[in-house]
């Protein structure tokens, strides 16, 4: 994604999610479930007839043409692909029914697994997989031992297996910790916990959280020390684990391997246990979150102790009201609803309207029919006594046209200013701009500094961009000691020192001028 705009490839990739949110999502989910059931989804292909029969076995009745249309839709959006395997047929009819077979794609499998996980997700507590900490420490120590001796004497597949196992354990630890604290935050943000709920949650939280923090405190220093010892050998270990025959894609690039076999993957492991310059480790943040959890428990405890003699909030009232609704019949439920929320059925208002010319037929839509002229006394006092014709409504059409014209003129001036700035594409030096063009430049200049949020460096630029009708104009700022940029105009002269400013414009019109 460049400049806040998705390119066509990214749009096509995200289109693989559409089947889960359209009107026929239930049938699409059932079809994708047939291809992802079990572990052999990638190794099997199915025809439309086979999919129709399997859906019928599950109680999902669709005709063959509807299934064929849905399969074609999934192929169009990249969830399925037509199988390259030739169909065997003993008759023309069998060939026509089985000529198109469908197979699961890698993108479709990934998307549907995530969709199923989202649908099955429930806001329940999950324990932290702290049992992974000893395995992570052991795996790092073994890799450090391999790095200290001659790597070439070790089987490359054994090194790759140890690295993959280490990062699999690390991923389970991080994922479970994140989900645990997400659940913890949802519970602690409630300030309506009753005494029984608080007692249960307090005993479970204090015991479990303290045990987890103790394990983190015991293993984190050891893991940090072993990672520091292993750091110089990471690149060599990854290179040796990647030795041997590698799968190469049709575009010539090597296939993606398990996490951890690229030296860049080790930065996340080190950040979690050791930290980074100017950033605490995630293990330290876990301990800080535990302190915040204890503080939230104390807030709930203070509220319960202070409200021993009076009700706090409306939680118990709403629970009691829900119980009344649950046991009431239809008539009683309507009475409860009206008495509780004051929302009654619709009241229709009628009055004698003055029709000029032919009356509006009853079959015309409200979207297309003219507005009724409601008498002033009825609008203000609710009095339906006829007192002559209704007053004419104020006509704001002229004011609207004037505002639209002013907005159009302002937009034209802005586009003209941006085009003038684009005519100076390249590195700015001593330039002359009109006041609107200088204003447009200063807007982009301010946006670039605001988004950058840190001092400018020679190797890191601040950038801001905006769209015009025929392209994108951008301004890049870098630190350049000794450089001077002077912008002259009718309102004066602006001098910017120690900055290198580059104006770029990606537009068809500028390219045509350059080619001419």
């Amino acid at each position: 994604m460049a400049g806040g705009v998705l390119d066509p490839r990214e749009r096509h990739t995200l289109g693989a999610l559409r089947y889960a949110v359209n009107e026929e999502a239930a049938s699409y989910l059932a079809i994708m479930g047939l291809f992802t059931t079990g572990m052999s989804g990638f190794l099997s292909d199915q025809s439309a007839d086979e999919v129709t029969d399997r859906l019928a076995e599950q109680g999902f009745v669709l005709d063959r043409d509807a299934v064929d249309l849905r399969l074609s839709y999934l192929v169009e959006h990249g969830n399925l692909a037509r199988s390259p395997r030739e169909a065997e047929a003993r008759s023309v009819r069998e060939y026509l029914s089985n000529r198109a077979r469908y197979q699961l794609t890698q993108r479709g499998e990934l998307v549907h697994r995530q969709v199923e996980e989202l649908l099955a997700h429930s806001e329940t507590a999950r324990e932290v997989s702290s049992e992974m900490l000893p395995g992570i420490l052991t795996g790092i120590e073994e890799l450090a031992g391999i790095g200290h001796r001659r790597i070439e004497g070790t089987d490359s597949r054994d090194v790759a297996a140890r690295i993959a196992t280490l990062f699999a354990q690390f991923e389970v630890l991080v994922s479970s910790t994140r989900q645990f604290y997400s659940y913890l935050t949802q519970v602690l943000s409630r300030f309506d916990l009753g005494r029984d709920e608080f007692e249960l949650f307090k005993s479970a939280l204090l015991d479990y959280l303290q045990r987890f923090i103790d394990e983190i405190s015991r293993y984190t220093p050891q893991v940090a020390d072993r990672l520091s010892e292993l750091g110089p050998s990471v690149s060599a270990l990854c290179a040796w684990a990647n030795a041997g025959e590698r799968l190469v894609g049709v575009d010539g690039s090597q296939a993606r391997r398990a996490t951890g076999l690229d030296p860049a993957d080790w930065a996340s492991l080190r950040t979690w246990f050791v930290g980074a310059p100017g950033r605490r480790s995630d293990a330290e943040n876990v301990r800080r979150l535990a302190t915040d959890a204890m503080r939230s428990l104390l807030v709930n405890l203070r509220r319960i102790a202070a409200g021993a003699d009076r009700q706090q909030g409306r939680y118990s009232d709403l629970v009691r009201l829900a119980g009344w609704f649950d046991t009431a019949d239809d008539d009683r439920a309507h009475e409860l609803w009206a008495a509780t929320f004051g929302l009654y059925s619709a009241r229709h208002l009628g009055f004698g309207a003055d029709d000029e010319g032919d009356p509006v037929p009853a079959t015309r839509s409200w979207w297309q029919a003219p507005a009724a002229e409601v008498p002033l006394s009825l609008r203000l006092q609710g009095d339906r006594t006829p007192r002559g014709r209704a007053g004419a409504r104020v006509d704001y059409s002229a004011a609207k046209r004037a505002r639209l014209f002013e907005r159009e003129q302002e937009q034209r001036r802005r586009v003209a200013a941006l085009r003038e700035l684009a005519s100076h594409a390249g590195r700015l030096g001593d330039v002359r701009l009109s006041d609107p063009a200088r204003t447009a430049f200063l807007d982009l200049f301010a946006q670039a500094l605001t988004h950058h949020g840190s001092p400018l460096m020679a190797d890191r630029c601040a950038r801001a961009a905006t769209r015009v009708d025929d392209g994108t104009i951008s301004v890049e700022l870098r630190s350049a000691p000794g450089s001077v940029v002077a912008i002259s105009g009718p309102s004066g002269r602006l001098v910017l020192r120690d900055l290198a400013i580059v104006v770029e414009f990606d537009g068809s019109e500028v390219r045509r001028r350059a080619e001419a």
Side-chain angles (χ1 to χ4, degrees):
M1 182 172 64
V5 179
L6 294 175
D7 60 37
R9 182 188 62 81
E10 292 170 329
R11 288 181 179 275
H12 180 69
T13 301
L14 293 177
L17 295 166
R18 292 182 179 177
Y19 77 92
V21 294
N22 61 22
E23 295 182 356
E24 295 85 15
S27 60
Y28 283 112
L29 290 173
I31 291 173
M32 289 298 297
L34 298 179
F35 284 91
T36 56
T37 301
M39 300 297 294
S40 60
F42 284 116
L43 305 180
S44 63
D45 52 11
Q46 304 178 55
S47 66
D49 288 334
E50 293 171 348
V51 172
T52 304
D53 295 339
R54 294 185 64 186
L55 288 175
E57 294 174 359
Q58 298 179 2
F60 211 110
V61 180
L62 285 175
D63 58 53
R64 198 262 186 199
D65 294 336
V67 171
D68 202 8
L69 289 176
R70 282 159 174 72
L71 291 171
S72 298
Y73 178 88
L74 293 171
V75 171
E76 179 183 353
H77 291 85
N79 304 94
L80 299 178
R82 287 186 169 83
S83 175
R85 183 170 69 88
E86 295 182 358
E88 297 181 1
R90 290 167 294 183
S91 64
V92 175
R93 182 176 181 180
E94 185 177 352
Y95 171 76
L96 292 176
S97 62
N98 294 331
R99 67 184 186 277
R101 303 187 66 84
Y102 301 89
Q103 193 172 24
L104 186 67
T105 64
Q106 184 181 18
R107 183 192 310 168
E109 194 270 345
L110 175 63
V111 168
H112 194 71
R113 298 293 185 195
Q114 296 294 329
V115 170
E116 288 182 331
E117 182 178 353
L118 179 62
L119 292 175
H121 177 71
S122 60
E123 301 296 336
T124 56
R126 173 178 175 176
E127 290 189 355
V128 178
S129 301
S130 56
E131 64 275 6
M132 296 297 167
L133 287 169
I136 292 174
L137 177 60
T138 302
I140 295 175
E141 289 177 341
E142 292 174 351
L143 290 172
I146 294 175
H148 289 161
R149 61 180 185 266
R150 188 174 181 83
I151 300 178
E152 289 77 1
T154 308
D155 187 358
S156 62
R157 291 178 297 179
D158 179 62
V159 175
R162 291 178 185 274
I163 295 176
T165 302
L166 169 64
F167 274 84
Q169 294 171 332
F170 173 63
E171 183 177 356
V172 172
L173 173 66
V174 173
S175 176
S176 62
T177 304
R178 185 187 304 114
Q179 295 184 28
F180 170 73
Y181 276 101
S182 297
Y183 170 77
L184 188 65
T185 302
Q186 293 176 4
V187 176
L188 293 178
S189 61
R190 286 179 50 189
F191 292 96
D192 53 3
L193 293 175
R195 286 181 173 273
D196 296 338
E197 292 177 312
F198 179 81
E199 289 291 337
L200 292 174
F201 188 67
K202 180 201 66 171
S203 59
L205 176 66
L206 292 180
D207 296 340
Y208 180 77
L209 193 58
Q210 185 60 46
R211 185 171 68 253
F212 172 58
I213 295 303
D214 290 343
E215 292 179 348
I216 287 286
S217 301
R218 182 169 66 254
Y219 283 101
T220 296
Q222 303 178 61
V223 173
D225 293 341
R226 300 299 180 273
L227 282 175
S228 299
E229 297 176 5
L230 183 60
S233 306
V234 167
S235 298
L237 286 171
C238 291
W240 184 248
N242 288 311
E245 295 293 334
R246 293 289 308 279
L247 176 64
V248 178
V250 294
D251 57 351
S253 61
Q254 289 187 337
R256 179 167 50 89
R257 300 198 72 188
T259 305
L261 298 180
D262 187 342
D265 298 335
W266 288 74
S268 59
L269 181 65
R270 183 174 181 83
T271 301
W272 208 93
F273 286 101
V274 182
R279 181 182 184 277
R280 288 191 300 268
S281 67
D282 291 334
E284 178 64 24
N285 290 331
V286 167
R287 289 195 288 267
R288 291 174 61 88
L289 288 173
T291 303
D292 295 339
M294 299 301 179
R295 188 179 298 113
S296 297
L297 275 177
L298 292 177
V299 172
N300 272 282
L301 179 61
R302 188 182 302 114
R303 177 191 56 77
I304 293 175
D309 299 329
R310 65 181 188 275
Q311 290 289 337
Q312 297 286 332
R314 301 190 60 190
Y315 178 76
S316 59
D317 295 339
L318 294 175
V319 171
R320 187 180 301 109
L321 178 62
W324 291 347
F325 274 113
D326 186 50
T327 58
D329 55 20
D330 288 346
D331 294 337
R332 183 60 176 171
H334 285 297
E335 294 176 0
L336 278 174
W337 178 269
T340 304
F341 302 105
L343 299 178
Y344 300 87
S345 57
R347 298 294 187 267
H348 297 282
L349 180 65
F351 62 92
D354 297 327
D355 292 331
E356 296 182 0
D358 296 333
V360 178
T363 56
R364 182 173 298 180
S365 170
W366 285 14
W367 290 105
Q368 301 172 355
E373 297 292 347
V374 181
L376 183 62
S377 60
L378 180 59
R379 291 203 305 264
L380 299 181
Q381 288 88 23
D383 185 5
R384 299 202 295 174
T385 303
R387 289 187 175 85
R389 296 186 58 183
R393 291 177 299 164
V394 179
D395 186 7
Y396 293 102
S397 57
K400 291 181 179 178
R401 287 194 298 269
R403 299 291 84 78
L404 290 174
F405 179 75
E406 292 175 1
R407 181 177 179 181
E408 183 179 355
Q409 294 296 323
E410 180 64 26
Q411 182 65 19
R412 289 179 180 177
R413 288 192 292 269
R414 177 180 176 274
V415 171
L418 290 174
R419 286 179 174 175
E420 180 183 350
L421 181 61
S423 65
H424 296 278
R427 181 163 179 170
L428 296 184
D430 191 353
V431 297
R432 183 173 183 83
L433 297 175
S434 63
D435 287 345
R438 187 178 69 166
T439 301
F441 165 75
L442 291 177
D443 288 342
L444 291 173
F445 184 85
Q447 292 177 22
L449 293 179
T450 303
H451 295 163
H452 189 62
S454 61
L456 294 175
M457 300 294 182
D459 56 343
R460 294 179 58 190
C461 69
R463 188 176 186 274
T466 186
R467 294 281 301 177
V468 292
D469 53 359
D470 54 355
T472 302
I473 183 172
S474 62
V475 172
E476 290 187 357
L477 313 176
R478 295 180 185 272
S479 175
S483 297
V484 177
V485 178
I487 301 176
S488 304
S491 298
R493 180 180 175 85
L494 173 66
V495 178
L496 302 171
R497 301 184 183 277
D498 299 333
L499 282 178
I501 303 177
V502 178
V503 176
E504 296 181 352
F505 185 67
D506 180 15
S508 57
E509 182 177 341
V510 169
R511 287 195 294 269
R512 287 196 298 267
R513 292 177 183 173
E515 293 173 357

